[in-house]
Amino acid sequence: MRELGVPHPRLPLPSAGGEDDPAAFLAWLREAIPMVEHLGIEAMQRDGEALEWRLAIAPSLNDKGTGFGGALTAQTTLLGWCWATLWLRRHGVERDVVVAEASQRFLAPVTGDYRLVCTPESEDGPARLEERLAERGRGRIALVQRLYCGETLCLEARGDYAVRPAG
């Protein structure tokens, strides 16, 4: 059971240049953030700079039988945090990530199981983050999350994620 004000132990970094095992990362995430157990995340995969979750709608239903906006918003924010955290881990950097700003646009109702895809807002975002970390020991990256129900884009979110300085 998590305690208020007590940080959860970090997951050890993967071996140099290695990738995180998605199942192991999700298991750690469920322990670190208890709410994750109830989000309906069924799978996670990375493809280049894109991080994708497959989710069941059942835990996020609203009173109308569609996706609840608050749950979907929490999922987009957390997926962005995971993108930044996993990017740092691939680069051998152990730092805290926080969401600094987030916004959403709801475009269509979510009526079934869905997928969320997170990518950098700009192609050079990861390179700029890497430069800032090297120069200042901290940095920021803008990420976009898109929720698809089938081929329908239902939600588009944007977030600025800050990498805090060491210490």
Side-chain angles (χ1 to χ4, degrees):
M1 180 83 179
R2 293 289 318 280
E3 289 185 43
L4 184 63
V6 178
H8 190 72
R10 288 190 172 153
L11 186 64
L13 288 173
S15 58
E19 293 286 329
D20 278 288
D21 170 37
F25 182 79
L26 281 175
W28 172 85
L29 191 63
R30 285 182 177 104
E31 291 176 13
I33 304 174
M35 173 181 85
V36 171
E37 184 66 36
H38 307 285
L39 294 181
I41 302 167
E42 295 181 336
M44 178 177 81
Q45 69 181 34
R46 193 172 76 79
D47 182 12
E49 290 294 350
L51 181 63
E52 180 177 313
W53 282 351
R54 299 261 174 192
L55 299 105
I57 193 171
S60 299
L61 285 174
N62 64 17
D63 59 318
K64 295 160 207 60
T66 60
F68 172 58
L72 304 176
T73 296
Q75 292 164 358
T76 62
T77 302
L78 182 59
L79 180 59
W81 180 89
C82 288
W83 187 100
T85 298
L86 289 167
W87 184 91
L88 289 169
R89 292 174 58 74
R90 282 194 321 272
H91 289 83
V93 178
E94 216 174 53
R95 297 283 177 79
D96 288 330
V97 174
V98 296
V99 61
E101 186 177 336
S103 62
Q104 306 79 32
R105 286 182 343 143
F106 295 89
L107 305 168
V110 178
T111 57
D113 293 350
Y114 53 98
R115 63 189 171 96
L116 267 173
V117 181
C118 181
T119 58
E121 184 175 64
S122 69
E123 195 174 296
D124 65 342
R128 285 197 328 253
L129 176 58
E130 193 168 13
E131 286 173 13
R132 287 186 189 120
L133 287 171
E135 292 170 1
R136 302 179 196 157
R138 60 189 170 99
R140 228 176 183 170
I141 188 163
L143 300 171
V144 175
Q145 300 88 25
R146 291 180 178 91
L147 185 155
Y148 296 92
C149 192
E151 295 303 313
T152 303
L153 177 60
C154 298
L155 167 63
E156 188 169 65
R158 182 194 175 282
D160 286 338
Y161 293 82
V163 179
R164 301 188 55 170

